[in-house]
Structures are given as structure tokens and as C-alpha cells.
Amino acid sequence: LDTFAQVFDRQEQERLRAEEAERQRREEERKRAAQVNPYLAEPAAPATPARRPSALELLKQQAAARPVVDPRAKKAESNKRIDERLRAAFRYLGQFGGMLREAHPVSKRRFGMIYFGEAAGLALVEGTADYRFRRVENEERFDYVVFKFGVAFARPERFEVSGEQLANMRPRLDKMGVRYEALEKKNDFGIVVHAKLMVTGPFPCEIVLRGDYDQPGFVGEMLNVGRFGASRFRIGADELTDEVLDELGTWLLGADDAFARFIERQQAK
């Protein structure tokens, strides 16, 4: 299109020069005729009507009026936006975790716990937020934000397990830092055949929000949140708003399900 437009411009300039030369020739002839006989002078040529712009001229005008977007500037602005929203998430989750440590609120949300299934009426405890940096386009940017907390029984829960089950459970519970007491019943050979567990917790839960700077957005990962095990979701670059962060907090408290519905919509995309 640029090459064609250049050819068109050159042809248009040549045409205008020819018209101007013709106009000057006719003007000279009129002046000479007026000198010989003023009554035979050729009247001045009427003004040339304004010419309608061609399609190519209109395209060129629109292209010139269109703002030039520097891809590097656009990328830098996108990176800045993702970094800012991760910082906002860190601030919110840090404040939310501080309130958990003070209040130990009891959530109506059901949480899945290894070996013990799902339960509601659990206390949210030990909330902490942390983050990590990474270099993006020679700038220090937030890489991800991690929020860790625990769910604990409001009162110790009693469970009965076999000796074999206890042997499998104990190393895992100890590694997770779950508080429990085991009343063991052994046979004549000193082997545990039965045990009563008094379990308090807390069971660890984790939420990670990662910044995706290549395909602008955020990747969320949850561990033992809402159900036992891991889940994953994605949030658009402009969707990690203050409102969504607050919906996450109220969802953890069991106040509403707006955040769960939001995640379902993201997963359905």
C-alpha cells in the first residue's frame, strides 16, 4: 500500500504541474489578446472546483492520525500493571493473615484434610504472606505471592484407627506439624493394634498467585483450600482487582461464594 501510495502521489504531482502549466499558458494568451484588442480578450478561466479526496488519500490521512503504539512501551506498561496487582495482593493477604493470627475466626467453609475427610466449623489460624522477586525486562518485578494458613478443629476431634493406619499416618502428620495425641492399644508382642487419636491441627493450606508476564495475567494455585489436594486457575491481567481479593477473604471465612463462582468462570474460559 505504501509503494502504491508513493506512485499515486508522484502521478498526482505530475498532473498538478501539467494543469498549472496549461493554466499559465492560457493566461499568457489572454494577456496578449487583451493587448491587441481588449474586446477580444479571453475571459479568465473559472475557478477549478475543489477536488474530492481519493480513497488512497483518505487512507493516508487516517493512518497519519492513528497514534503510533510502541510495542516495548505497551509491554512495559503491562509488566508494571501485573507487578502492581501482585503487590496489592501481598498487602491485602498480609493484613488478612494478621487478623487471622489475632482472631482465629471459625469458618463455615468446608476444608478437606488428609486422612480425615472434609469438615466445616474449623478455625483459621497462622496466616502469613510472602513474596518473591524476578527480573523482567531488566526490572525487578514481583514473581509470586504466597499465602499460608492453617485450619484447626475448634475442639480436639476423636478418631479411631488401626495400628497399621497409625503407622502410616504418624510420619505424615508429624511432617505437617499437626498436633494430635494417640492412645495406643498394644498386643502381647508390643505391637500397636488399635489407637484413639485426639486431633487438633492445624492442617496446612496454601494459596499462590503467580504473575504471568509473557501472557499477561495471573496463575492461581491452591493447596488444601476448600478440598484436600491441589487446584489451579487463571485470572486475566485486569481481573485481579481489590474486589476479587476481598471476595477471596470472605470466601475463606465462609461468608459467601462469590470467589468460587469467579474461579469457575475463569476455568470455563
Side-chain angles (χ1 to χ4, degrees):
L1 182 60
D2 289 341
T3 302
F4 187 77
Q6 292 174 2
V7 173
F8 176 84
D9 285 344
R10 187 168 60 253
Q11 293 175 345
E12 187 69 5
Q13 292 173 3
E14 292 174 354
R15 184 183 67 80
L16 292 175
R17 285 196 295 270
E19 290 181 355
E20 179 62 18
E22 177 64 18
R23 187 191 66 78
Q24 292 179 359
R25 185 188 66 77
R26 294 178 64 183
E27 181 66 18
E28 290 296 330
E29 290 180 353
R30 186 186 66 80
K31 289 180 179 179
R32 287 196 297 270
Q35 291 175 354
V36 175
N37 187 346
Y39 298 100
L40 298 178
E42 182 180 343
T48 304
R51 186 174 57 84
R52 186 180 64 182
S54 69
L56 285 176
E57 289 176 320
L58 291 174
L59 284 174
K60 288 179 63 178
Q61 293 172 4
Q62 294 179 9
R66 184 179 180 182
V68 178
V69 179
D70 186 350
R72 292 175 298 180
K74 184 177 180 181
K75 177 65 173 174
E77 183 62 29
S78 173
N79 292 346
K80 180 181 177 183
R81 175 64 175 169
I82 293 174
D83 177 76
E84 289 175 345
R85 294 317 303 161
L86 285 176
R87 291 173 186 267
F90 170 70
R91 289 192 298 269
Y92 177 85
L93 293 173
Q95 294 173 1
F96 186 78
M99 296 299 293
L100 292 189
R101 294 193 298 272
E102 293 182 10
H104 288 190
V106 175
S107 175
K108 299 178 181 178
R109 176 79 42 227
R110 297 185 69 85
F111 288 86
M113 298 169 292
I114 187 171
Y115 303 127
F116 304 107
E118 293 186 354
L122 301 175
L124 304 184
V125 298
E126 301 178 357
T128 59
D130 199 359
Y131 65 91
R132 292 292 183 273
F133 277 119
R134 62 176 289 198
R135 291 196 67 82
V136 180
E137 303 289 337
N138 295 322
E139 295 283 348
E140 287 287 343
R141 302 294 189 186
F142 263 44
D143 186 12
Y144 65 87
V145 173
V146 57
F147 179 63
K148 296 181 179 181
F149 64 101
V151 293
F153 292 108
R155 293 182 298 275
E157 289 286 322
R158 177 178 296 179
F159 299 91
E160 295 188 5
V161 296
S162 67
E164 183 178 357
Q165 289 174 323
L166 180 61
N168 292 329
M169 294 166 59
R170 176 168 273 159
R172 190 76 176 271
L173 295 176
D174 292 341
K175 184 177 180 180
M176 291 189 298
V178 177
R179 295 190 298 272
Y180 67 95
E181 295 181 5
L183 181 60
E184 302 173 350
K185 182 178 181 180
K186 300 180 180 180
N187 60 17
D188 295 338
F189 300 98
I191 299 173
V192 177
V193 294
H194 185 78
K196 293 182 179 180
L197 294 180
M198 296 292 290
V199 182
T200 303
F203 293 83
C205 304
E206 184 175 283
I207 300 173
V208 179
L209 293 172
R210 299 183 183 276
D212 188 345
Y213 291 92
D214 296 324
Q215 299 178 356
F218 306 90
V219 176
E221 301 168 352
M222 297 194 296
L223 181 64
N224 302 335
V225 180
R227 62 181 178 83
F228 176 71
S231 61
R232 185 182 176 94
F233 57 91
R234 182 176 178 84
I235 302 176
D238 297 321
E239 294 178 315
L240 189 59
T241 62
D242 292 343
E243 182 180 3
V244 166
L245 290 172
D246 195 56
E247 287 176 353
L248 169 60
T250 55
W251 179 70
L252 292 176
L253 294 173
D256 62 49
D257 292 323
F259 183 76
R261 294 192 297 270
F262 170 75
I263 294 304
E264 289 174 358
R265 292 195 299 270
Q266 303 310 306
Q267 293 173 334
K269 290 182 180 180

